[in-house]
Amino acid sequence: MKKILSVFVLIITIHINAQEINFGKVSKEELQEKFHPLDSTADAAYLNLIRKTYYTFSEKRGFEIVTEIHERIKIYTKEGFENATRSIIYYKPDSGSKDKVNSIKGYTFTFENGNIEKQKLSKSSIFDEKLSKYKSLKKITFPNIKEGVIIDLEYKITSPYTHVIDEIDYQFGIPVKYFYSSIEIPEYYTFAKKQKGYFLIPVKTSTRNTSITTYQKRGNSNNFRLSVGSTKTNFQNTVDVYEAENIPALRDTEPYISNIKNFRGGIKYELASTKFPNSKMKFYSSSWEDVSKQIYKSSNFGSELEKTGYFENDIEPLISSTTNNYEKVASIFQFVKEKVKWNNYYGKYVEKGVKSAYKDGTGNIAEINLMLTSMLRYAGLNAYPVLVSTRANGTPLFPTLNGFNYVITMVKFPDNKYILLDASEPYSLPNILPKRALNWNGRVVAENGGSSWVKLAPSKHATVDNLLMAKVTEDMTIEGFIRTKFFNHKALTFRKDNNHIEEETLITNFEEKNSIEIENFKISNIQDLGTPVNRDIKFSSEDLIEKINDKIYIEPLLFLTERENPFKIKDRKFPVDFASPLKYKNSISIQIPTSYKIESLPETLAIGLPEKLGLFKYQISQVGNKIKVLSVLQFNKSIIAPEHYLALKDFYSQLVKKQTEKIVLVKKQ
């Protein structure tokens, strides 16, 4: 039986004006290079990073997007060996269309006895790992790694998801000698583009004519000799080219960074519209309001909030035992935390659904917090889901569905107050969210899909309060007792970091860090989330005193002294992110031996940061045979902008200088 088949063939020739770089060939000079010529501290460097992204078309699969990668990395030091293990993350759901990673080729180059030697990457060095229900990872481990080698890698990713162009990254923790990227897009797709970070590469945009030829055939589709005619459709491709040399590294060695990728140079593409032949133009999310509505309308989001039958019998007794709305919130919040445990999967959409998660006792972020929102609404409260981008997901630069990967709950009260909740974290409290969720702003989604922004940063200071009482004995030992109280986010962090660790290990770690010996150790309120965590330690030490001739030198804060400024670089182009306002209070009392007297004490100091961002207060005085010290360090905002970095660096330098000034005791005559 004869039939007419239509086969579409997209004929695309990619014009690349990049430097001529041949895969599998390196130079003697590159192998003999001992250090990076512009960054002698670099442990490794990209000699070149080339990416080509373009569209292909076939009758069976339609348009697909192809990305070809060629990366060549020089390893300078042993610390750079980690760069010889490459990871390719790709979309591979349990069902449905999948990305394909293929054409993986690689070599390790060495310089041996005056000759260039190369070892081929074997298939046994390529591993598949499942990251989640939707994503997998190919891990590539290069052979024969040692100082001075060069690794060369090529691979190709083919994706059916033509509306997604993976982010173009061109700045990393190691420098890049040469970067080239071309993005070729058919006129049927329109993308918004946004550069991120502080190293920008200007785009060179051009157009190129191309065509799709339609063949009509009889018989088998592979029998091209039976062609009876063809139709040619002409269209244009837009070609974006990004090219640069000597891109500096942006390392994450500085402290207090939310996600260093937010500040490294790169380009993000977001689909704005599509217009295919003989069809209407389709617009995609152009505002955060549109994004929120699209998420809300999903069957894996909005409709899950309407389901109540699975929990009603369990919630009714909780509601009836409360006397006000705040008690309702606390009771339901605690119930969900105990009933359903987080399975460590993020997500703004449910996977198995709230009903199944409730039955199984485990669920992803969306299942837990959409369930919580639904229960609170059932109890008569004004509860709303809040879309969030986690710190690891970064800060979205423009409206995009991928901008959110997490959801929490908000409850509004008539007095214009509100609380934020995340039942996935066992140690969280109202308005005490886990650090992973403290990023940017959240998008509150109303029952009709409307939305608005809400600040996620906490208003209360994460506080550590130390009360330390010590005495200096005649045999030059310090004996003392310290009580530390952890409040708000500091309490959450302490519980999360330490609750699973044996007491003996906690004691050993504290002794080694602070050069003391612990006689008694006790932690209380570790499970009572409504109270601060208390830690009581009785200690002694011979290492906190320096005796020179007839004089004794003591740092007033003993082992609580800040001896190093964490802010070291000359300039910082990205903000300092503490995640929460901070407060450290140290109240110290030191009893001196009767055979000594005070020769000198450090002077009092009080300094502040611009715009009341923070303060440091240091007071010291003598009361009889005791020295009283009060030291307070406070940051009133969770984020300090780059323009205040130099002030912060100087502020911290003064703090370190003051805290390391010593009490001087002299032997009485």
Side-chain angles (χ1 to χ4, degrees):
M1 181 177 177
K2 296 181 179 180
K3 56 182 179 180
I4 302 293
L5 299 175
S6 295
V7 179
F8 298 88
V9 180
L10 178 63
I11 304 169
I12 295 180
T13 302
I14 305 300
H15 297 280
I16 299 297
N17 297 317
Q19 293 180 7
E20 188 66 30
I21 297 172
N22 296 318
F23 174 73
K25 292 184 179 181
V26 300
S27 69
K28 176 181 175 181
E29 290 74 23
E30 289 173 324
L31 280 167
Q32 289 182 314
E33 187 174 87
K34 299 298 183 184
F35 55 85
H36 190 276
L38 300 179
D39 184 356
S40 60
T41 65
D43 297 315
Y46 283 98
L47 299 183
N48 64 262
L49 177 55
I50 297 174
R51 164 178 166 161
K52 308 169 190 175
T53 297
Y54 54 92
Y55 284 71
T56 61
F57 187 91
S58 70
E59 180 194 28
K60 183 178 180 180
R61 295 183 297 272
F63 274 113
E64 291 183 314
I65 190 165
V66 179
T67 297
E68 297 178 0
I69 300 290
H70 177 201
E71 52 186 43
R72 181 174 293 166
I73 298 175
K74 169 77 177 183
I75 310 292
Y76 295 109
T77 68
K78 291 180 180 179
E79 288 73 20
F81 286 4
E82 63 183 24
N83 293 280
T85 299
R86 313 304 298 164
S87 296
I88 306 169
I89 297 175
Y90 62 104
Y91 193 70
K92 187 181 179 183
D94 292 341
S95 60
S97 301
K98 302 173 175 62
D99 292 348
K100 295 178 182 178
V101 182
N102 51 30
S103 303
I104 299 175
K105 296 182 290 184
Y107 294 99
T108 300
F109 293 90
T110 57
F111 194 65
E112 308 284 354
N113 301 317
N115 297 313
I116 297 176
E117 304 288 344
K118 70 178 181 179
Q119 185 172 343
K120 188 177 181 180
L121 179 71
S122 66
K123 291 183 179 180
S124 62
S125 296
I126 303 172
F127 308 93
D128 265 307
E129 294 182 12
K130 189 171 181 62
L131 298 179
S132 70
K133 183 179 178 180
Y134 301 103
K135 291 186 177 181
S136 290
L137 176 146
K138 282 194 182 293
K139 183 174 286 186
I140 303 167
T141 304
F142 277 81
N144 196 23
I145 298 303
K146 52 189 174 182
E147 293 179 0
V149 305
I150 293 173
I151 63 171
D152 212 17
L153 174 66
E154 272 191 346
Y155 61 89
K156 181 167 68 175
I157 302 175
T158 303
S159 174
Y161 300 100
T162 55
H163 59 290
V164 178
I165 295 178
D166 289 338
E167 183 175 323
I168 304 167
D169 293 317
Y170 54 74
Q171 190 174 34
F172 307 89
I174 59 175
V176 181
K177 284 192 175 183
Y178 176 70
F179 174 83
Y180 181 93
S181 177
S182 65
I183 311 293
E184 186 154 1
I185 305 170
E187 65 180 55
Y188 309 125
Y189 300 86
T190 301
F191 284 84
K193 294 170 286 192
K194 182 72 174 180
Q195 295 213 12
K196 69 181 183 71
Y198 296 95
F199 189 97
L200 305 180
I201 299 178
V203 61
K204 297 177 183 177
T205 301
S206 61
T207 58
R208 190 178 64 80
N209 294 325
T210 187
S211 63
I212 292 177
T213 301
T214 304
Y215 295 96
Q216 289 185 328
K217 308 177 187 305
R218 297 181 184 275
N220 191 291
S221 61
N222 292 322
N223 187 352
F224 286 87
R225 289 175 297 180
L226 297 181
S227 176
V228 296
S230 65
T231 303
K232 189 175 184 179
T233 302
N234 297 314
F235 61 95
Q236 277 192 337
N237 282 350
T238 298
V239 184
D240 291 339
V241 172
Y242 304 88
E243 187 174 18
E245 294 182 341
N246 298 320
I247 301 172
L250 185 59
R251 300 180 177 92
D252 57 358
T253 52
E254 277 284 289
Y256 306 113
I257 300 174
S258 60
N259 183 349
I260 190 64
K261 282 196 66 177
N262 288 339
F263 311 107
R264 288 175 176 162
I267 305 103
K268 292 188 175 184
Y269 279 68
E270 177 74 10
L271 185 64
S273 64
T274 55
K275 174 66 172 71
F276 294 100
N278 303 315
S279 64
K280 294 182 179 180
M281 180 173 285
K282 182 178 180 181
F283 292 96
Y284 292 82
S285 301
S286 59
S287 68
W288 288 114
E289 184 78 14
D290 293 337
V291 169
S292 302
K293 284 183 178 179
Q294 190 171 343
I295 293 171
Y296 182 81
K297 290 177 181 178
S298 169
S299 60
N300 292 321
F301 190 92
S303 60
E304 295 290 304
L305 293 167
E306 307 303 320
K307 299 174 182 178
T308 62
Y310 64 95
F311 63 69
E312 291 180 5
N313 291 337
D314 295 330
I315 292 298
E316 285 291 352
L318 294 178
I319 298 172
S320 61
S321 64
T322 58
T323 59
N324 58 60
N325 285 339
Y326 288 97
E327 285 187 8
K328 284 183 183 178
V329 172
S331 182
I332 294 172
F333 182 47
Q334 187 60 32
F335 173 78
V336 175
K337 286 200 292 181
E338 294 175 357
K339 177 69 176 177
V340 186
K341 304 301 181 184
W342 182 36
N343 61 12
N344 292 321
Y345 285 159
Y346 292 172
K348 59 181 174 284
Y349 298 124
V350 302
E351 292 186 346
K352 56 186 176 183
V354 290
K355 186 175 181 180
S356 294
Y358 188 82
K359 179 182 178 181
D360 297 343
T362 61
N364 73 355
I365 290 295
E367 284 155 352
I368 290 173
N369 287 322
L370 291 180
M371 180 190 305
L372 172 64
T373 306
S374 181
M375 289 181 181
L376 292 167
R377 287 181 176 180
Y378 181 80
L381 296 161
N382 294 319
Y384 306 90
V386 180
L387 295 166
V388 173
S389 174
T390 61
R391 296 168 80 85
N393 194 52
T395 303
L397 301 177
F398 45 66
T400 166
L401 289 174
N402 294 329
F404 298 119
N405 68 327
Y406 201 93
V407 61
I408 60 173
T409 298
M410 169 193 270
V411 182
K412 293 183 179 180
F413 296 97
D415 52 3
N416 291 324
K417 294 181 179 180
Y418 65 85
I419 57 176
L420 300 174
L421 305 165
D422 185 350
S424 70
E425 173 54 61
Y427 301 115
S428 68
L429 288 166
N431 288 332
I432 307 292
L433 301 174
K435 186 177 179 179
R436 60 180 176 266
L438 296 177
N439 183 46
W440 193 46
N441 294 319
R443 192 78 184 177
V444 185
V445 183
E447 293 180 77
N448 60 358
S451 60
S452 59
W453 293 113
V454 63
K455 290 183 178 180
L456 299 174
S459 58
K460 293 182 179 179
H461 289 78
T463 300
V464 179
D465 191 334
N466 290 300
L467 174 64
L468 190 155
M469 295 175 287
K471 69 175 182 178
V472 182
T473 66
E474 294 291 345
D475 61 357
M476 298 299 103
T477 297
I478 287 187
E479 298 175 348
F481 168 84
I482 180 171
R483 169 167 290 174
T484 305
K485 292 186 176 184
F486 301 88
F487 298 83
N488 302 323
H489 275 89
K490 286 296 183 181
L492 185 156
T493 302
F494 185 92
R495 290 180 170 112
K496 187 173 181 178
D497 291 348
N498 298 289
N499 201 31
H500 61 288
I501 301 176
E502 295 290 336
E503 183 177 287
E504 183 178 345
T505 302
L506 292 175
I507 291 172
T508 300
N509 292 343
F510 199 91
E511 286 179 330
E512 292 177 352
K513 178 182 177 182
N514 298 294
S515 301
I516 64 172
E517 293 183 8
I518 293 177
E519 299 175 25
N520 289 311
F521 183 92
K522 181 183 179 182
I523 296 176
S524 56
N525 300 336
I526 196 75
Q527 297 297 340
D528 187 358
L529 304 188
T531 60
V533 176
N534 286 347
R535 183 183 62 198
D536 294 343
I537 298 174
K538 185 179 180 182
F539 68 91
S540 63
S541 176
E542 298 177 354
D543 298 324
L544 299 175
I545 294 177
E546 184 181 13
K547 188 175 186 297
I548 302 176
N549 298 324
D550 62 343
K551 292 185 179 181
I552 297 174
Y553 299 86
I554 307 171
E555 289 178 339
L557 298 185
L558 302 176
F559 55 80
L560 298 175
T561 304
E562 288 269 8
R563 298 185 178 89
E564 186 176 355
N565 188 345
F567 305 106
K568 303 183 187 304
I569 59 176
K570 292 181 180 179
D571 188 25
R572 179 161 163 158
K573 295 181 178 179
F574 43 89
V576 174
D577 189 338
F578 295 121
S580 169
L582 298 176
K583 183 176 182 180
Y584 298 92
K585 181 181 178 182
N586 299 315
S587 302
I588 316 290
S589 174
I590 303 173
Q591 180 179 319
I592 65 175
T594 56
S595 59
Y596 282 81
K597 63 180 180 179
I598 297 173
E599 182 178 86
S600 65
L601 296 174
E603 294 183 357
T604 294
L605 177 68
I607 55 175
L609 285 169
E611 300 180 10
K612 298 182 179 180
L613 290 171
L615 61 87
F616 171 60
K617 181 168 63 175
Y618 186 90
Q619 298 172 345
I620 186 167
S621 61
Q622 179 182 359
V623 181
N625 70 333
K626 294 181 180 179
I627 299 169
K628 303 285 188 179
V629 187
L630 175 64
S631 175
V632 178
L633 171 61
Q634 183 170 311
F635 295 107
N636 297 319
K637 298 289 184 180
S638 59
I639 294 177
I640 296 180
E643 57 262 33
H644 297 307
Y645 173 74
L646 293 179
L648 174 64
K649 183 180 178 182
D650 179 67
F651 171 90
Y652 228 99
S653 293
Q654 293 185 64
L655 178 151
V656 170
K657 182 180 178 182
K658 178 55 60 178
Q659 289 196 0
T660 53
E661 291 177 357
K662 295 182 178 180
I663 299 166
V664 181
L665 305 179
V666 64
K667 192 83 171 179
K668 290 180 179 178
Q669 299 297 325

